mmCIF file of all heavy atoms in Angstrom:
data_model
loop_
_atom_site.group_PDB
_atom_site.id
_atom_site.type_symbol
_atom_site.label_atom_id
_atom_site.label_comp_id
_atom_site.label_asym_id
_atom_site.label_seq_id
_atom_site.Cartn_x
_atom_site.Cartn_y
_atom_site.Cartn_z
ATOM 1 N N ALA A 1 8.418 -8.869 6.181
ATOM 2 C CA ALA A 1 8.608 -7.939 5.069
ATOM 3 C C ALA A 1 7.519 -8.125 4.014
ATOM 4 O O ALA A 1 7.013 -7.149 3.435
ATOM 5 C CB ALA A 1 9.988 -8.152 4.447
ATOM 6 N N HIS A 2 7.135 -9.353 3.780
ATOM 7 C CA HIS A 2 6.112 -9.645 2.783
ATOM 8 C C HIS A 2 4.735 -9.175 3.248
ATOM 9 O O HIS A 2 4.006 -8.510 2.510
ATOM 10 C CB HIS A 2 6.089 -11.148 2.493
ATOM 11 C CG HIS A 2 5.041 -11.556 1.507
ATOM 12 N ND1 HIS A 2 3.772 -11.979 1.903
ATOM 13 C CD2 HIS A 2 5.034 -11.591 0.155
ATOM 14 C CE1 HIS A 2 3.063 -12.265 0.839
ATOM 15 N NE2 HIS A 2 3.795 -12.043 -0.238
ATOM 16 N N ASP A 3 4.383 -9.512 4.500
ATOM 17 C CA ASP A 3 3.027 -9.221 4.978
ATOM 18 C C ASP A 3 2.835 -7.756 5.340
ATOM 19 O O ASP A 3 1.790 -7.168 5.024
ATOM 20 C CB ASP A 3 2.709 -10.100 6.196
ATOM 21 C CG ASP A 3 2.686 -11.580 5.849
ATOM 22 O OD1 ASP A 3 2.642 -11.897 4.646
ATOM 23 O OD2 ASP A 3 2.731 -12.417 6.772
ATOM 24 N N ARG A 4 3.822 -7.161 5.995
ATOM 25 C CA ARG A 4 3.632 -5.819 6.539
ATOM 26 C C ARG A 4 4.100 -4.713 5.590
ATOM 27 O O ARG A 4 3.663 -3.568 5.730
ATOM 28 C CB ARG A 4 4.372 -5.687 7.868
ATOM 29 C CG ARG A 4 3.869 -6.667 8.920
ATOM 30 C CD ARG A 4 4.610 -6.493 10.217
ATOM 31 N NE ARG A 4 4.162 -7.450 11.241
ATOM 32 C CZ ARG A 4 4.674 -7.523 12.474
ATOM 33 N NH1 ARG A 4 5.640 -6.693 12.836
ATOM 34 N NH2 ARG A 4 4.230 -8.425 13.320
ATOM 35 N N LEU A 5 4.986 -5.039 4.673
ATOM 36 C CA LEU A 5 5.512 -4.012 3.771
ATOM 37 C C LEU A 5 4.999 -4.214 2.353
ATOM 38 O O LEU A 5 4.279 -3.368 1.814
ATOM 39 C CB LEU A 5 7.041 -4.028 3.787
ATOM 40 C CG LEU A 5 7.733 -3.004 2.875
ATOM 41 C CD1 LEU A 5 7.373 -1.588 3.302
ATOM 42 C CD2 LEU A 5 9.248 -3.204 2.899
ATOM 43 N N LEU A 6 5.348 -5.350 1.747
ATOM 44 C CA LEU A 6 5.008 -5.554 0.344
ATOM 45 C C LEU A 6 3.500 -5.649 0.128
ATOM 46 O O LEU A 6 2.920 -4.893 -0.655
ATOM 47 C CB LEU A 6 5.708 -6.820 -0.161
ATOM 48 C CG LEU A 6 5.498 -7.145 -1.629
ATOM 49 C CD1 LEU A 6 6.073 -6.033 -2.505
ATOM 50 C CD2 LEU A 6 6.163 -8.477 -1.979
ATOM 51 N N ARG A 7 2.838 -6.563 0.833
ATOM 52 C CA ARG A 7 1.414 -6.766 0.606
ATOM 53 C C ARG A 7 0.599 -5.561 1.050
ATOM 54 O O ARG A 7 -0.342 -5.129 0.373
ATOM 55 C CB ARG A 7 0.958 -8.025 1.352
ATOM 56 C CG ARG A 7 -0.453 -8.467 0.998
ATOM 57 C CD ARG A 7 -0.677 -9.905 1.416
ATOM 58 N NE ARG A 7 -0.503 -10.083 2.848
ATOM 59 C CZ ARG A 7 -0.453 -11.281 3.443
ATOM 60 N NH1 ARG A 7 -0.564 -12.384 2.705
ATOM 61 N NH2 ARG A 7 -0.297 -11.389 4.737
ATOM 62 N N THR A 8 0.989 -4.963 2.196
ATOM 63 C CA THR A 8 0.270 -3.784 2.684
ATOM 64 C C THR A 8 0.438 -2.601 1.742
ATOM 65 O O THR A 8 -0.526 -1.886 1.437
ATOM 66 C CB THR A 8 0.773 -3.408 4.087
ATOM 67 O OG1 THR A 8 0.600 -4.526 4.956
ATOM 68 C CG2 THR A 8 0.014 -2.220 4.635
ATOM 69 N N GLY A 9 1.671 -2.386 1.267
ATOM 70 C CA GLY A 9 1.913 -1.273 0.364
ATOM 71 C C GLY A 9 1.163 -1.411 -0.942
ATOM 72 O O GLY A 9 0.607 -0.435 -1.470
ATOM 73 N N MET A 10 1.127 -2.622 -1.502
ATOM 74 C CA MET A 10 0.395 -2.833 -2.752
ATOM 75 C C MET A 10 -1.102 -2.597 -2.562
ATOM 76 O O MET A 10 -1.771 -2.065 -3.446
ATOM 77 C CB MET A 10 0.643 -4.257 -3.259
ATOM 78 C CG MET A 10 2.092 -4.535 -3.653
ATOM 79 S SD MET A 10 2.703 -3.456 -4.965
ATOM 80 C CE MET A 10 1.722 -4.046 -6.330
ATOM 81 N N ALA A 11 -1.620 -2.993 -1.372
ATOM 82 C CA ALA A 11 -3.038 -2.758 -1.098
ATOM 83 C C ALA A 11 -3.343 -1.265 -1.015
ATOM 84 O O ALA A 11 -4.381 -0.788 -1.498
ATOM 85 C CB ALA A 11 -3.428 -3.456 0.205
ATOM 86 N N GLN A 12 -2.410 -0.505 -0.422
ATOM 87 C CA GLN A 12 -2.625 0.935 -0.310
ATOM 88 C C GLN A 12 -2.560 1.622 -1.673
ATOM 89 O O GLN A 12 -3.287 2.585 -1.938
ATOM 90 C CB GLN A 12 -1.583 1.526 0.639
ATOM 91 C CG GLN A 12 -1.803 1.105 2.092
ATOM 92 C CD GLN A 12 -0.618 1.447 2.981
ATOM 93 O OE1 GLN A 12 0.465 1.743 2.493
ATOM 94 N NE2 GLN A 12 -0.827 1.403 4.290
ATOM 95 N N LEU A 13 -1.710 1.125 -2.555
ATOM 96 C CA LEU A 13 -1.644 1.698 -3.898
ATOM 97 C C LEU A 13 -2.903 1.407 -4.706
ATOM 98 O O LEU A 13 -3.339 2.235 -5.519
ATOM 99 C CB LEU A 13 -0.417 1.127 -4.633
ATOM 100 C CG LEU A 13 0.949 1.679 -4.228
ATOM 101 C CD1 LEU A 13 2.052 0.895 -4.914
ATOM 102 C CD2 LEU A 13 1.067 3.156 -4.562
ATOM 103 N N ALA A 14 -3.480 0.222 -4.468
ATOM 104 C CA ALA A 14 -4.644 -0.186 -5.254
ATOM 105 C C ALA A 14 -5.970 0.212 -4.612
ATOM 106 O O ALA A 14 -7.026 0.057 -5.225
ATOM 107 C CB ALA A 14 -4.623 -1.705 -5.450
ATOM 108 N N GLY A 15 -5.939 0.730 -3.374
ATOM 109 C CA GLY A 15 -7.164 1.042 -2.656
ATOM 110 C C GLY A 15 -7.893 2.251 -3.221
ATOM 111 O O GLY A 15 -7.290 3.132 -3.852
ATOM 112 N N PRO A 16 -9.193 2.340 -2.966
ATOM 113 C CA PRO A 16 -9.983 3.482 -3.476
ATOM 114 C C PRO A 16 -9.725 4.768 -2.699
ATOM 115 O O PRO A 16 -9.947 5.862 -3.213
ATOM 116 C CB PRO A 16 -11.422 2.996 -3.307
ATOM 117 C CG PRO A 16 -11.365 2.016 -2.164
ATOM 118 C CD PRO A 16 -10.038 1.340 -2.265
ATOM 119 N N GLU A 17 -9.297 4.644 -1.435
ATOM 120 C CA GLU A 17 -9.069 5.829 -0.607
ATOM 121 C C GLU A 17 -7.719 6.461 -0.935
ATOM 122 O O GLU A 17 -6.737 5.756 -1.189
ATOM 123 C CB GLU A 17 -9.116 5.456 0.879
ATOM 124 C CG GLU A 17 -10.466 4.931 1.341
ATOM 125 C CD GLU A 17 -11.545 5.990 1.216
ATOM 126 O OE1 GLU A 17 -11.217 7.188 1.373
ATOM 127 O OE2 GLU A 17 -12.706 5.630 0.944
ATOM 128 N N PRO A 18 -7.623 7.790 -0.927
ATOM 129 C CA PRO A 18 -6.335 8.456 -1.180
ATOM 130 C C PRO A 18 -5.296 8.043 -0.150
ATOM 131 O O PRO A 18 -5.602 7.888 1.041
ATOM 132 C CB PRO A 18 -6.676 9.951 -1.052
ATOM 133 C CG PRO A 18 -8.158 10.023 -1.261
ATOM 134 C CD PRO A 18 -8.723 8.753 -0.710
ATOM 135 N N HIS A 19 -4.076 7.858 -0.587
ATOM 136 C CA HIS A 19 -3.001 7.440 0.308
ATOM 137 C C HIS A 19 -1.700 8.123 -0.135
ATOM 138 O O HIS A 19 -1.490 8.372 -1.334
ATOM 139 C CB HIS A 19 -2.843 5.919 0.274
ATOM 140 C CG HIS A 19 -1.960 5.394 1.374
ATOM 141 N ND1 HIS A 19 -0.596 5.321 1.244
ATOM 142 C CD2 HIS A 19 -2.263 4.934 2.624
ATOM 143 C CE1 HIS A 19 -0.083 4.828 2.363
ATOM 144 N NE2 HIS A 19 -1.067 4.579 3.211
ATOM 145 N N PRO A 20 -0.801 8.460 0.819
ATOM 146 C CA PRO A 20 0.468 9.106 0.440
ATOM 147 C C PRO A 20 1.267 8.325 -0.593
ATOM 148 O O PRO A 20 1.983 8.921 -1.415
ATOM 149 C CB PRO A 20 1.221 9.193 1.778
ATOM 150 C CG PRO A 20 0.146 9.244 2.814
ATOM 151 C CD PRO A 20 -0.966 8.394 2.291
ATOM 152 N N LEU A 21 1.177 7.004 -0.579
ATOM 153 C CA LEU A 21 1.906 6.222 -1.568
ATOM 154 C C LEU A 21 1.411 6.512 -2.982
ATOM 155 O O LEU A 21 2.190 6.557 -3.935
ATOM 156 C CB LEU A 21 1.760 4.728 -1.268
ATOM 157 C CG LEU A 21 2.720 4.127 -0.229
ATOM 158 C CD1 LEU A 21 2.401 2.657 -0.015
ATOM 159 C CD2 LEU A 21 4.167 4.301 -0.666
ATOM 160 N N GLN A 22 0.107 6.702 -3.114
ATOM 161 C CA GLN A 22 -0.448 7.016 -4.423
ATOM 162 C C GLN A 22 0.047 8.375 -4.916
ATOM 163 O O GLN A 22 0.393 8.545 -6.093
ATOM 164 C CB GLN A 22 -1.979 6.993 -4.357
ATOM 165 C CG GLN A 22 -2.573 5.621 -4.063
ATOM 166 C CD GLN A 22 -4.082 5.680 -3.881
ATOM 167 O OE1 GLN A 22 -4.622 6.714 -3.498
ATOM 168 N NE2 GLN A 22 -4.750 4.570 -4.151
ATOM 169 N N ALA A 23 0.065 9.354 -3.992
ATOM 170 C CA ALA A 23 0.557 10.689 -4.360
ATOM 171 C C ALA A 23 2.028 10.644 -4.771
ATOM 172 O O ALA A 23 2.443 11.279 -5.744
ATOM 173 C CB ALA A 23 0.356 11.655 -3.189
ATOM 174 N N ALA A 24 2.829 9.858 -4.028
ATOM 175 C CA ALA A 24 4.249 9.734 -4.356
ATOM 176 C C ALA A 24 4.432 9.075 -5.719
ATOM 177 O O ALA A 24 5.301 9.463 -6.503
ATOM 178 C CB ALA A 24 4.960 8.928 -3.274
ATOM 179 N N SER A 25 3.600 8.073 -6.004
ATOM 180 C CA SER A 25 3.686 7.394 -7.298
ATOM 181 C C SER A 25 3.351 8.349 -8.437
ATOM 182 O O SER A 25 4.018 8.350 -9.477
ATOM 183 C CB SER A 25 2.740 6.187 -7.311
ATOM 184 O OG SER A 25 2.776 5.545 -8.556
#
């Protein structure tokens, strides 16, 4: 849960490339 969900999701939110998580936020 930590490696595949929490850490991955935070990286996608902070990444320079557009991601659905950013749009949802």
Side-chain angles (χ1 to χ4, degrees):
H2 178 267
D3 296 346
R4 299 181 181 179
L5 180 62
L6 182 63
R7 190 162 60 190
T8 303
M10 295 300 292
Q12 290 168 345
L13 284 173
E17 297 296 328
H19 192 274
L21 276 178
Q22 295 175 334
S25 178

